[in-house]
């Protein structure tokens, strides 16, 4: 049975195409800097937004009209798997990602929940035998159910800690079974509401204990994939422990976890933390910790995680710049942790949204690649720091100097000359590269 009957496989038709169900810029086979777009961008569909969510918001009921609306329970779960693989194939995406509760309903007991999981995991495994779409990552949802009201691995209740461990154990087994490329931890409830009732040190120590046990279990079952922490500063919890990449990195370093973990960086989480997307990518990259990306965007007018599809070419360009500078995403990918707006309630919108995001990232990739090829920013930055290539600057970076010698140097200076940072000039250059790229693909 086809769920998206009116839609054929989305093909690349080029920038002049007016077909809404065609890629204008994303050409999976086109080579950019020696690799195909498909290999570099590694797009992934988020199961929860595309197949499980229905447009519910805190003020109103779901609005989405889906071809599986008439079904319930395990029948609904099965239909969603069928629809998912149809959409993956039609969009020609190489990856998908899911939470345990996205794919199958929770039972009355953990045992029943695991049994439901097994049925659907078996079905997904069957589909994956013939589909090209692989699992980018899976994760355990430890935030929706009321049992996580005070946290999961950071709950004051040891029974909740144990239950959470059981969920991740099952998730790691599923990752192994389905050949996942990564395993993700997003700690939506791992944080606190008020310090008045919180033992912050015990909670953080416990979170580290939890991660170490996850590492041990993965080793035990032969699951050798990067573990990814997904930082977010707030929402749903007022203060989340994995606030941003820098905070997460300090945590991983303190608890001796850097060998096993990297980061899954989400654009909208970065902006909620008061950073840009590219700031978070850069912080991870220069520390060798860039694992994967949740590709979406927020809204500057709204202070919450709006999870919009990433259509902002400027932001995607700067993100792709970091990703290319990282030498790519390795086993990571660009996962559309993004939802169609509540008013975009038709099934067709799922396609429009993904096409929009994929095209906008394809443009970002091309612009970023050209910026790197032409060494536009590299040569400017190299020049800007050239005082460290000789004399006292070289002595500083080579660790051959001291405060005494530096004072002598300073005393001899008759003047200090700085040069302009040229922010506006560089911004104009980025605009020029974007426009050049767009006109070259349209030409
Ligand atoms: C929540 C969020 C999650 C994670 C996986 O903001 O981004 O969907 O990506 O749990
Ligand atoms: Co996310």
């Amino acid at each position: 049975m086809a769920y998206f009957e009116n839609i054929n496989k989305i093909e690349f038709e080029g920038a002049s195409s007016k077909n809404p169900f065609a890629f204008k810029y994303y050409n999976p086979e086109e080579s950019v800097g020696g690799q195909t777009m498909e290999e570099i961008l590694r797009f992934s569909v988020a199961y929860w937004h595309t197949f499980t969510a229905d447009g519910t918001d805190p003020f109103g009921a779901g609005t989405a009209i889906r071809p599986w609306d008439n079904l319930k329970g395990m029948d609904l779960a099965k239909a969603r798997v069928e629809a998912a693989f149809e959409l993956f194939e039609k969009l020609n995406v190489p990856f998908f990602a899911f939470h345990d509760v996205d794919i199958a309903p929770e039972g009355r007991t953990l045992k029943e929940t695991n049994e439901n999981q097994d049925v659907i995991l078996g079905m997904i495994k069957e589909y994956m035998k013939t589909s090209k779409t692989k699992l980018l990552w899976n994760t355990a949802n430890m935030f929706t159910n009321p049992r996580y009201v005070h946290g999961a691995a950071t709950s004051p209740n040891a029974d909740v800690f144990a239950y959470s461990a059981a969920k991740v154990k099952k998730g790691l087994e599923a990752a192994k079974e389905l050949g996942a490329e990564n395993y993700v931890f997003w700690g939506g409830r791992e944080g606190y509401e008020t310090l008045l009732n919180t033992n912050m040190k015990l909670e953080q120590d416990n979170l580290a204990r939890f991660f170490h046990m996850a590492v041990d279990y993965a080793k035990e079952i032969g699951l050798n994939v990067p573990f990814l922490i997904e930082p977010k500063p707030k929402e749903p919890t007022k203060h989340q422990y994995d606030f941003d990449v820098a905070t997460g990195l300090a945590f991983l370093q303190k608890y001796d976890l850097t060998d096993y973990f990297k980061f899954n960086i989400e654009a909208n989480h970065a902006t909620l933390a008061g950073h840009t997307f590219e700031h978070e990518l850069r912080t991870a990259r220069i520390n060798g910790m860039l694992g994967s990306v949740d590709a979406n965007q927020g809204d500057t007018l709204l202070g919450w995680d709006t999870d919009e599809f990433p259509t902002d070419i400027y932001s995607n360009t700067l993100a792709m710049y970091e990703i290319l500078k990282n030498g790519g995403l390795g086993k990571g990918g660009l996962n559309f942790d993004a939802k169609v707006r509540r008013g975009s309630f038709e099934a067709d919108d799922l396609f429009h949204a993904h096409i929009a995001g994929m095209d906008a990232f394809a443009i970002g990739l091309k612009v970023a690649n050209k910026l790197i090829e032409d060494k536009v920013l590299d040569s400017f930055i190299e020049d800007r720091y050239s005082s460290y290539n000789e004399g006292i600057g070289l002595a500083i970076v080579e660790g051959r100097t001291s405060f005494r010698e530096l004072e002598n140097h300073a005393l001899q200076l008759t003047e200090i000359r700085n040069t302009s940072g040229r922010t506006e000039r560089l911004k104009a250059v980025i605009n020029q590269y974007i426009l050049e790229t767009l006109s070259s693909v349209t030409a």
Side-chain angles (χ1 to χ4, degrees):
M1 175 194 160
Y3 291 83
F4 309 104
E5 262 172 345
N6 60 319
I7 293 166
N8 298 319
K9 190 165 178 190
I10 311 299
E11 305 282 359
F12 171 71
E13 290 186 5
S16 58
S17 168
K18 296 280 185 286
N19 177 2
F21 295 107
F23 295 119
K24 321 293 182 303
Y25 304 97
Y26 176 63
N27 179 2
E29 282 135 43
E30 186 179 330
S31 171
V32 180
Q35 266 187 309
T36 67
M37 282 199 185
E38 182 170 89
E39 286 163 347
I40 305 169
L41 294 165
R42 295 171 63 86
F43 287 128
S44 158
V45 171
Y47 204 96
W48 53 104
H49 286 308
T50 299
F51 304 106
T52 320
D54 62 2
T56 304
D57 77 5
F59 300 94
T63 55
I65 300 168
R66 300 286 181 254
W68 49 83
D69 281 345
N70 57 326
L71 300 169
K72 281 201 167 46
M74 287 299 280
D75 289 338
L76 172 60
K78 288 177 187 168
R80 282 174 171 152
V81 175
E82 291 167 3
F85 279 89
E86 184 187 330
L87 179 134
F88 300 159
E89 197 182 317
K90 289 186 167 169
L91 275 176
N92 190 21
V93 281
F95 294 102
F96 72 114
F98 66 84
H99 302 82
D100 45 9
V101 303
D102 304 333
I103 60 162
E106 288 192 84
R108 274 160 304 163
T109 60
L110 180 60
K111 190 167 169 290
E112 213 176 283
T113 300
N114 286 346
E115 283 163 6
N116 290 351
Q117 285 286 311
D118 286 337
V119 173
I120 302 299
L121 287 169
M123 193 174 161
I124 291 177
K125 196 175 173 187
E126 262 320 292
Y127 268 95
M128 286 177 76
K129 282 186 184 154
T130 50
S131 166
K132 76 172 238 183
T133 307
K134 294 197 254 169
L135 182 58
L136 186 66
W137 50 262
N138 61 316
T139 185
N141 174 324
M142 301 193 289
F143 44 90
T144 302
N145 191 292
R147 82 176 66 87
Y148 306 112
V149 61
H150 301 308
T154 64
S155 170
N157 182 347
D159 286 343
V160 176
F161 185 103
Y163 198 101
S164 307
K167 291 257 287 182
V168 172
K169 176 177 176 288
K170 182 80 185 156
L172 296 174
E173 289 160 6
K176 167 93 183 158
E177 189 69 15
L178 298 181
E181 307 267 311
N182 306 271
Y183 187 83
V184 162
F185 294 87
W186 170 60
R189 305 269 176 205
E190 310 293 28
Y192 66 86
E193 174 67 32
T194 169
L195 285 178
L196 298 176
N197 64 16
T198 301
N199 184 340
M200 190 199 255
K201 179 158 189 327
L202 178 65
E203 290 199 2
Q204 295 201 0
D205 287 350
N206 278 350
L207 184 57
R209 290 181 183 110
F210 191 92
F211 286 150
H212 273 288
M213 283 190 264
V215 168
D216 291 345
Y217 189 67
K219 281 186 189 160
E220 194 184 316
I221 63 171
L223 173 70
N224 185 18
V225 300
F227 280 2
L228 305 178
I229 296 223
E230 186 176 322
K232 186 175 184 182
K234 54 192 166 191
E235 201 209 7
T237 306
K238 185 162 78 177
H239 187 106
Q240 284 172 213
Y241 290 136
D242 304 329
F243 187 92
D244 61 1
V245 171
T247 312
L249 182 57
F251 177 91
L252 294 175
Q253 284 167 341
K254 174 178 175 188
Y255 291 104
D256 201 17
L257 286 159
T258 47
D259 287 351
Y260 311 102
F261 282 81
K262 287 186 171 176
F263 290 100
N264 181 38
I265 295 169
E266 178 163 327
N268 206 166
H269 295 183
T271 49
L272 284 179
H275 302 306
T276 58
F277 187 14
E278 58 273 19
H279 167 96
E280 287 294 82
L281 293 167
R282 176 77 60 98
T283 308
R285 163 165 89 78
I286 63 173
N287 287 291
M289 297 293 276
L290 176 51
S292 197
V293 170
D294 270 7
N296 64 11
Q297 68 188 41
D299 185 319
T300 46
L301 301 179
L302 304 173
W304 61 91
D305 194 13
T306 58
D307 281 345
E308 296 174 28
F309 272 83
T311 51
D312 182 335
I313 293 171
Y314 199 92
S315 169
N316 295 352
T317 296
L318 298 184
M320 283 315 300
Y321 188 84
E322 297 304 322
I323 291 168
L324 292 181
K325 280 284 188 183
N326 191 59
L329 285 169
K331 295 190 100 201
L334 293 175
N335 174 53
F336 290 114
D337 191 351
K339 57 186 174 213
V340 287
R341 298 305 85 194
R342 194 161 176 270
S344 307
F345 49 77
E346 294 179 3
D348 284 4
D349 291 305
L350 297 173
F351 286 86
H352 294 312
H354 283 92
I355 292 168
M358 290 161 88
D359 271 340
F361 256 99
I363 299 168
L365 163 64
K366 285 193 157 188
V367 182
N369 182 62
K370 191 89 177 84
L371 283 167
I372 291 171
E373 267 180 11
D374 292 357
K375 294 194 173 17
V376 184
L377 303 177
D378 278 337
S379 17
F380 186 85
I381 291 173
E382 207 179 294
D383 198 46
R384 188 161 186 245
Y385 292 86
S386 59
S387 67
Y388 290 94
N389 295 341
E390 56 185 11
I392 197 71
L394 192 60
I396 292 169
V397 296
E398 288 183 347
R400 289 189 277 106
T401 187
S402 64
F403 263 23
R404 219 175 280 284
E405 196 184 51
L406 290 164
E407 184 193 42
N408 277 340
H409 180 87
L411 286 169
Q412 283 160 33
L413 294 170
T414 47
E415 62 166 340
I416 289 182
R417 273 224 310 269
N418 276 310
T419 52
S420 167
R422 297 267 188 268
T423 303
E424 298 77 5
R425 165 78 194 122
L426 293 170
K427 286 186 173 179
V429 171
I430 303 285
N431 282 349
Q432 205 179 356
Y433 269 72
I434 290 173
L435 291 169
E436 260 174 30
T437 304
L438 288 171
S439 59
S440 76
V441 288
T442 323

